Amino acid sequence: MRLTTKGRFAVTAMIDVALREGAGPIALAAISARQQISLSYLEQLFSKLRRKKLVASTRGPGGGYSLGRKSEDITVADVILAVDEPIDATGCGGKINCMGENTGRCLTHDLWMSLNEKMIEHLSAISLRKLVDEQHAKGVSVQERSIKRGISSRPVVEPIKVSRPNSVFSLAEADPTE
């Protein structure tokens, strides 16, 4: 199996989102900064994850990404397969006649196909919830951000004073000595 950065980064980013599950939508820029993953790369990965409904996006201020399903319902295999990461240990890509049309399979074809099945079985048995719980057991703490929406509860202490004209029409009314 050749697991590239695409699959590893997707799993890492999904754990980051799952760790902050109760904090509301998580901005990709925040994940990028915490996990040292390029923002443009994360955008590509999350586009694929969103299409497979593993994450949900929220637009606007305070927006970002949250899990599309419960963390216990998302497996590592789901994440890796969602970003088009092939889980294949064979050299032939799983072709039936990998040695040619008349020769059939290579001698180790069944061995590598069996390994593929075991890898998918193993990755399908690991949920994001399990990985999050392991991070908590290691002492990883996550600072929850408070979600503030709506009108501020603090009153404005001083009114804003406009010292310059704010339109062409008020230029005529402006004091030329200023």
Side-chain angles (χ1 to χ4, degrees):
M1 176 181 151
R2 195 177 128 237
L3 185 61
T4 64
T5 55
K6 189 189 303 184
R8 286 187 290 119
F9 284 171
V11 171
T12 300
M14 287 293 284
I15 294 170
D16 189 291
V17 172
L19 278 166
R20 292 159 180 78
E21 210 170 0
I26 309 299
L28 288 183
I31 298 171
S32 174
R34 281 191 297 270
Q35 304 304 327
Q36 302 296 303
I37 303 172
S38 159
L39 180 58
S40 61
Y41 201 68
L42 279 175
E43 289 169 347
Q44 293 172 26
L45 293 176
F46 272 74
S47 173
K48 292 178 179 185
L49 292 167
R50 188 173 43 81
R51 275 188 241 127
K52 297 292 183 176
K53 297 185 178 9
L54 295 180
V55 294
S57 62
T58 304
R59 293 181 171 223
Y65 287 89
S66 53
L67 295 180
R69 302 191 303 239
K70 294 178 182 177
S71 59
E72 49 273 359
D73 296 336
I74 300 174
T75 68
V76 173
D78 293 335
V79 175
I80 291 172
L81 294 172
V83 295
D84 301 327
E85 185 70 24
I87 299 177
D88 187 14
T90 65
C92 62
K95 295 178 189 170
I96 302 226
N97 295 324
C98 58
M99 295 295 290
E101 202 58 41
N102 298 330
T103 55
R105 297 180 183 173
C106 64
L107 298 175
T108 57
H109 185 85
D110 292 335
L111 169 69
W112 303 131
M113 288 301 290
S114 173
L115 179 60
N116 289 346
E117 291 170 13
K118 295 292 183 190
M119 286 187 295
I120 291 173
E121 183 181 313
H122 177 69
L123 295 175
S124 294
I126 303 170
S127 70
L128 280 181
R129 169 57 43 208
K130 180 181 179 190
L131 296 173
V132 166
D133 291 344
E134 288 174 2
Q135 292 300 311
H136 287 304
K138 289 179 184 177
V140 172
S141 63
V142 177
Q143 183 178 8
E144 300 281 336
R145 70 175 179 154
S146 60
I147 301 172
K148 294 183 180 178
R149 300 181 194 269
I151 300 172
S152 173
S153 59
R154 289 187 331 195
V156 176
V157 178
E158 286 183 35
I160 299 172
K161 296 180 182 178
V162 178
S163 61
R164 300 279 180 232
N166 62 358
S167 75
V168 174
F169 300 107
S170 55
L171 280 173
E173 301 168 4
D175 185 5
T177 58
E178 287 184 14

